[in-house]
Amino acid sequence: MKRMLLTISYDGTAYHGWQVQPNGITVQQTLQDALEKLLGERPAVTGCSRTDAGVHARKFACHIDCKDNFPESAFLKGLNSLLPNDIAVIDCREVEPDFHARYNALGKKYVYSMYTGALNPFDSRYMLHLESLPDIDLMNKFCKGIVGTHDFAGFSCSKRTVEDTVRTITECSVKKDGNKIYFEIKGNGFLYNMVRILAGTALAVGQKRLKPDCYNDVFKDNDRSKAGDTLPAFALILEEVYY
Amino acid sequence: MKRMLLTISYDGTAYHGWQVQPNGITVQQTLQDALEKLLGERPAVTGCSRTDAGVHARKFACHIDCKDNFPESAFLKGLNSLLPNDIAVIDCREVEPDFHARYNALGKKYVYSMYTGALNPFDSRYMLHLESLPDIDLMNKFCKGIVGTHDFAGFSCSKRTVEDTVRTITECSVKKDGNKIYFEIKGNGFLYNMVRILAGTALAVGQKRLKPDCYNDVFKDNDRSKAGDTLPAFALILEEVYY
């Protein structure tokens, strides 16, 4: 047996997130189906995290254990030929037998994308359309304030299942490129809906519906009602996982 | 009554082409549904052309007749709020009562997109993935040869319904931008599947499966079998209609 780390890229529009669940097709089970066809047995696939329904990933990571000793290029080509067009395996490599895609992950980068100007269905698939340009400087003031180690309970959905809600954000900023706006965030971990709520709060700040230092009120009492909306999933991309 | 020219943009993945038909949802009927909700009556919508199932459009044109005297911006905003995310109306303006979206069209531009390198589900939605880079110079030799006025019957699907198969191509070329390849073509009109067959023939030339002057054999006897494959619809975009 050898342990393999797979890097996969997917358009999450058609999926109920990463993790297998009873009420819809997930990326994990679609990947398992393809692996079963390729390997003749259904391996366990362990992902670096869950992703919400509709969220995309540029470089999601997961590990599997398998017997075969196929060359990497044949494995990639075979697996991709069995996957639908909206999922691609872009890398695979052997790792130590005790490597774990979730526990070994040091951090992740997410990007929430928005755009202004004329509606465009090609952009609307992956970006939130805004009627007008928010104030990027105000948004960045908010972003600066949440960098660091904090209890993010107030910036997460109450349906979360974890007990420890303290996370460290190492980088957070908003970048503007023409009519496109990117909320980028890196951290050691993220709670349920946390990136979508942080992006929604940054947007509310940029639209002057909340103050740039509103994070103080949210942190103080873990008060979800003081943060912004949970923005829709379709404009969120998991960019990268760091090991 | 006034006649309005609408410019619409759509991701055609979910649609059975533009034109209303019994076996699937089309862009035309989806637009009519939204117009009916907005205007209180169902207007006829006349498109600049049909598009095949799965083909996209950056700037498709169609005309409608309607009574209302709403300001253009309110009409656009109202209509877009009633349309799904994969269709957007990007412009509307009043035209002469005898203007016709199809008969007045002077020409159209299509782009067929391909890419090489690592598979990427975001590109794979709109671009054909190629295992290796075709010879761009050879492709452009073929493109030069089809510019002009020719009988394109051999470059169209036999299911076509028109009798006159002579068309004029004014520009045709292949451009490379990093790992992306664009087959671009402008002409006064296109037969059923014609762009997809021309792109498929250009690709076969670039992959040295056909000679750059193979168009001579196709033109000579209108021989479809001497041309390349009909490439899949998902990588074809109607870029613009000229009036």
Side-chain angles (χ1 to χ4, degrees):
Chain A
M1 291 294 265
K2 60 179 184 180
R3 182 154 289 193
M4 305 282 289
L5 172 64
L6 308 185
T7 306
I8 69 170
S9 189
Y10 57 85
D11 177 327
T13 311
Y15 299 98
H16 285 244
W18 161 258
Q19 185 136 320
V20 169
Q21 52 142 286
N23 303 317
I25 294 170
T26 65
V27 179
Q28 187 183 37
Q29 96 194 55
T30 308
L31 183 61
Q32 279 179 310
D33 290 346
L35 283 163
E36 187 172 2
K37 277 186 199 146
L38 187 70
L39 305 173
E41 56 182 10
R42 194 172 184 85
V45 177
T46 306
C48 59
S49 65
R50 300 180 176 202
T51 59
D52 294 351
V55 170
H56 317 288
R58 191 101 48 196
K59 288 184 181 176
F60 187 92
C62 57
H63 76 255
I64 60 168
D65 292 319
C66 58
K67 287 181 213 150
D68 289 77
N69 252 323
F70 30 69
E72 183 191 307
S73 65
F75 179 76
L76 275 185
K77 203 168 168 173
L79 193 51
N80 279 322
S81 73
L82 295 165
L83 283 166
N85 267 354
D86 51 10
I87 303 178
V89 181
I90 55 177
D91 189 54
C92 73
R93 59 190 174 93
E94 191 171 351
V95 286
E96 294 298 311
D98 63 347
F99 176 90
H100 194 285
R102 179 142 53 104
Y103 302 137
N104 287 40
L106 300 175
K108 297 188 194 79
K109 178 182 178 181
Y110 281 93
V111 177
Y112 197 95
S113 304
M114 299 168 257
Y115 77 105
T116 61
L119 265 178
N120 173 336
F122 305 101
D123 287 336
S124 287
R125 187 171 174 87
Y126 303 114
M127 313 183 97
L128 183 68
H129 183 255
L130 304 177
E131 288 297 321
S132 57
L133 185 68
D135 186 316
I136 306 292
D137 291 340
L138 288 179
M139 292 176 85
N140 272 313
K141 275 188 190 163
F142 169 79
C143 291
K144 261 195 180 166
I146 59 163
V147 170
T149 301
H150 306 281
D151 184 339
F152 282 93
F155 284 109
S156 85
C157 171
S158 59
K159 280 194 275 176
R160 67 178 177 274
T161 51
V162 294
E163 302 223 332
D164 178 9
T165 51
V166 174
R167 295 290 183 275
T168 299
I169 300 302
T170 50
E171 288 178 38
C172 183
S173 67
V174 174
K175 285 170 189 151
K176 183 177 171 296
D177 179 14
N179 70 330
K180 297 183 163 70
I181 299 153
Y182 302 100
F183 172 87
E184 303 187 351
I185 190 163
K186 273 190 209 177
N188 69 345
F190 296 90
L191 304 170
Y192 189 35
N193 281 357
M194 179 170 149
V195 180
R196 291 160 58 188
I197 295 170
L198 287 171
T201 310
L203 179 60
V205 167
Q207 293 174 333
K208 298 174 188 171
R209 294 182 283 114
L210 286 174
K211 301 246 187 251
D213 62 356
C214 64
Y215 51 82
N216 283 323
D217 297 331
V218 184
F219 286 146
K220 202 169 56 187
D221 305 310
N222 287 336
D223 188 349
R224 171 71 186 87
S225 73
K226 301 277 170 58
D229 298 329
T230 307
L231 294 185
F234 68 84
L236 180 60
I237 295 192
L238 169 58
E239 278 289 325
E240 202 163 353
V241 186
Y242 303 103
Y243 290 103
Chain B
M1 292 293 265
K2 61 179 183 179
R3 183 154 288 193
M4 305 281 289
L5 173 63
L6 308 184
T7 306
I8 69 171
S9 190
Y10 58 84
D11 177 328
T13 311
Y15 299 98
H16 285 243
W18 161 258
Q19 186 136 318
V20 169
Q21 53 141 286
N23 303 317
I25 294 171
T26 66
V27 179
Q28 187 183 37
Q29 96 194 55
T30 308
L31 183 61
Q32 278 180 310
D33 290 346
L35 283 163
E36 186 172 1
K37 278 187 199 146
L38 186 70
L39 305 172
E41 55 182 11
R42 193 172 184 84
V45 177
T46 306
C48 59
S49 64
R50 300 177 177 206
T51 58
D52 294 350
V55 171
H56 318 288
R58 190 103 45 198
K59 288 185 180 174
F60 187 91
C62 57
H63 75 255
I64 60 169
D65 292 318
C66 60
K67 288 181 209 147
D68 290 77
N69 252 324
F70 31 68
E72 182 190 309
S73 65
F75 178 76
L76 274 186
K77 202 168 168 173
L79 193 51
N80 279 322
S81 74
L82 295 164
L83 284 167
N85 267 355
D86 51 11
I87 303 178
V89 181
I90 55 177
D91 189 54
C92 72
R93 58 189 173 92
E94 191 171 352
V95 286
E96 294 298 311
D98 63 349
F99 176 91
H100 194 284
R102 179 143 53 105
Y103 301 136
N104 286 39
L106 300 175
K108 297 188 194 81
K109 178 182 178 181
Y110 281 93
V111 177
Y112 198 94
S113 304
M114 299 167 257
Y115 77 107
T116 60
L119 263 178
N120 172 336
F122 305 100
D123 289 335
S124 287
R125 187 171 173 89
Y126 303 114
M127 313 182 97
L128 183 68
H129 183 255
L130 304 178
E131 288 296 322
S132 57
L133 184 68
D135 186 315
I136 306 293
D137 290 340
L138 288 178
M139 292 176 86
N140 272 313
K141 276 188 189 163
F142 169 79
C143 291
K144 262 195 180 168
I146 60 163
V147 169
T149 301
H150 305 281
D151 184 339
F152 281 93
F155 284 108
S156 83
C157 171
S158 57
K159 280 194 276 176
R160 65 177 178 272
T161 50
V162 295
E163 302 223 331
D164 178 10
T165 51
V166 174
R167 295 289 183 275
T168 299
I169 299 302
T170 50
E171 289 177 38
C172 183
S173 66
V174 173
K175 285 169 188 152
K176 183 176 170 295
D177 179 14
N179 69 330
K180 297 183 163 71
I181 300 153
Y182 302 101
F183 171 86
E184 303 187 351
I185 189 163
K186 272 190 208 176
N188 69 346
F190 295 90
L191 304 170
Y192 189 35
N193 281 358
M194 179 170 149
V195 180
R196 290 160 59 189
I197 295 169
L198 286 171
T201 310
L203 179 60
V205 168
Q207 292 173 333
K208 298 174 189 171
R209 293 182 285 114
L210 286 174
K211 300 246 185 254
D213 61 356
C214 63
Y215 51 82
N216 284 323
D217 296 333
V218 184
F219 286 147
K220 203 170 54 186
D221 305 310
N222 287 336
D223 188 350
R224 172 71 187 86
S225 73
K226 300 277 170 60
D229 299 329
T230 307
L231 295 185
F234 68 84
L236 180 61
I237 295 192
L238 169 58
E239 276 290 326
E240 201 163 353
V241 186
Y242 303 102
Y243 290 103

